Amino acid sequence: MARKVLSFLPQRPFSSIPEIPNLYSFLQPSLFSLKTTNQQQQPQNQNQKLPTSPPNSFNHDQISTLETILHKSIITNNTDEAWKSFKSITTLHSFPPKPLTNSLITHLSSHSDLHNLKRAFTSAVYIMEKNPMMLELETVASLLESMRCVNTAAPAFALVKCMFKNRFFVPFDTWGGVLAEISRKNGNLVAFLRVFEENCRICLDEKVESMKPGVDACNAALEGCCCELQSVSDAERVVEIMSNLGVRPNELSFGFLGYLYAMKGFEDKIDELKNLMVGFGYSNKKSFYSYLISGYVKSGNLASVESTILSSLNDGDGKDWNFSEETFCGVVKEYLHRGNIKGLANLIIEAQKLEPLDIEVGQSIGYGIVNACVSIGLSDKAHSILDEMNALVGSVGLGVYVPILKAYCKENRTAEATMLVAEISGSGLRLDVETYDSLIEASMSSQDFQSAFSMFRDMREARVPDLKGSYLTIMTGLMENHRPELMAAFLDEVVEDPRIEVGTHDWNSIIHAFCKAGRLEDARRTFRRMTFLQFEPNDQTYLSMINGYVLAGKYFSVLMLWNEVKRKLSEEEQKGVKFDQNLVDAFLYALVKGGFFDAVMHVVEKSNEKKIFVDKWRYKQAFMETHKKLRVAKLRKRNFRKMEALIAFKNWAGLNT
């Protein structure tokens, strides 16, 4: 199928690459060196040239000893000794056994440092030159993987070319992907292209099926032709190779060709590609259209950029292909480079006419363009596009607003965000809950409380069902910023909204904040408002009030609280009051300090009923600090009941002993 469909491209032969070039200085080994076909013949007595055949006699025992040392050195990780033994063996015109040779190269590769990687490379090349069948495929793969890890392109290419030269045909899958990745990292896919072509020549001429590349490798070669070389002839030669090898192109293959043809302005060839994609059954043309757009951007053909984007919507029956941010950034940069904000606004308006009404915000063309402006740091330009759209009397989709709002959040421009939210609401559009939450969180973080309140009101008016997240954000932010008066006003405003679950704990937060700030009248007012709205105070409510009164020295107010709590405790249902040790301690300490010993003994009685432990020492100290000079005889003359209460307390606390 692939051979038949791709036969429209002209047939061009391709030549093989030269044999191994001189190694870069980094790779030039001290022991071995590669030879090239155009290298001058070296003198026969050159010291570095190793003999290709053994001498008439050599010491078998010596070689055996060196092999033993080599083996032990690898096991003990003595790399330098292992390398020294290997060099000594080769000096005697011999090789270690095949397993030992491969173990050495693998060991040297495993270190992934340049020094030992150089040793591994030179060993592999030497073995390949002398007896390539001694090398295991796993060893070659391990060496190449180490080169990939340290991103050394030159030795990786040299190793593969050496394999070709010595007819050591390693399966393409062993090295092709590694070489393509290294080339892409170094921005030099052209180098991969040349090796790819030589590999494919061998595959076809020698009929070595294992050297057949997959479509990913073919696409890497195409990428080098289309994006780096920008050569139509080279690209079509790769397509020819794919056809000869029976490699089926995928969407990315057509994408690279589309980029090249768009950049060159070859509209007829682009139409051919579209027909071919239909022939191959590819319906998802996102990649193809993305590369077409990038190609037109590269050539500065904005008219074709616009027509391609709109065509993509028509081609997908109104479905947007959700192009990448990189694609949209390229489009935006080219338009803005030419000062054509109006063109971007018009493109969004025309796209909105083709997009379905229920399209997701993040998948619209408007969102992609405006978000690209924001991502490259030009949020003001994004707003200029919005203004231009309004000037063109075009309906502005939500996708245009959302990226601008996100930018305002990031830049803490919350007042402007609030104005934009009002504009959105006025146009009949509705933001989602996540956007509202983000805006309110940004407003609270920048202490712009009024903007947060305004946006929360907008949420309520827009009938957003989930208000809990933003409600908690506002309440927590106000508490952290010690603004209980705003908490009280906000809670009073939203308390009757059924979508917000207001509880006693919310009122407690406000009361606690007022008491901590010494604003007891506000705390009392909040307490009264809480009970008026039928929210039952609990033990935390009373603890906050008691602590506030104690700090202000208002012990009589604590007595009034105790009377209220005592009444609730006497009822069958205690209505949320948990009479625990914390509450007992708070009441006892405050009432002792205030001298209300009758109430103190009532608290003691209640604590005994509830079997709550009371630390008498703490209240003995409180009495001594405040009432050390108080005498029973004086109280007997003034108030007999108080005298009895005082005696009872002193007996209980152990003050009469």
Side-chain angles (χ1 to χ4, degrees), residues 561-577:
L561 284 180
W562 165 244
N563 291 334
E564 181 178 333
V565 171
K566 182 171 66 172
R567 176 178 52 79
K568 289 187 176 183
L569 291 174
S570 65
E571 297 174 357
E572 291 185 5
E573 295 183 5
Q574 295 182 10
K575 295 184 178 179
V577 177

Side-chain angles (χ1 to χ4, degrees), residues 521-582:
E521 188 56 42
D522 290 320
R524 272 195 291 262
R525 189 180 299 111
T526 305
F527 184 87
R528 290 194 295 268
R529 178 66 174 162
M530 170 187 181
T531 55
F532 173 77
L533 294 172
Q534 298 183 342
F535 288 91
E536 282 294 333
N538 58 20
D539 50 302
Q540 291 299 320
T541 316
Y542 291 112
L543 278 173
S544 295
M545 294 295 292
I546 293 169
N547 292 333
Y549 287 141
V550 169
L551 287 173
K554 296 181 178 295
Y555 300 111
F556 182 76
S557 296
V558 178
L559 178 63
M560 295 298 100
L561 284 180
W562 165 244
N563 291 334
E564 181 178 333
V565 171
K566 182 171 66 172
R567 176 178 52 79
K568 289 187 176 183
L569 291 174
S570 65
E571 297 174 357
E572 291 185 5
E573 295 183 5
Q574 295 182 10
K575 295 184 178 179
V577 177
K578 182 182 178 182
F579 194 66
D580 59 7
Q581 188 168 2
N582 291 329

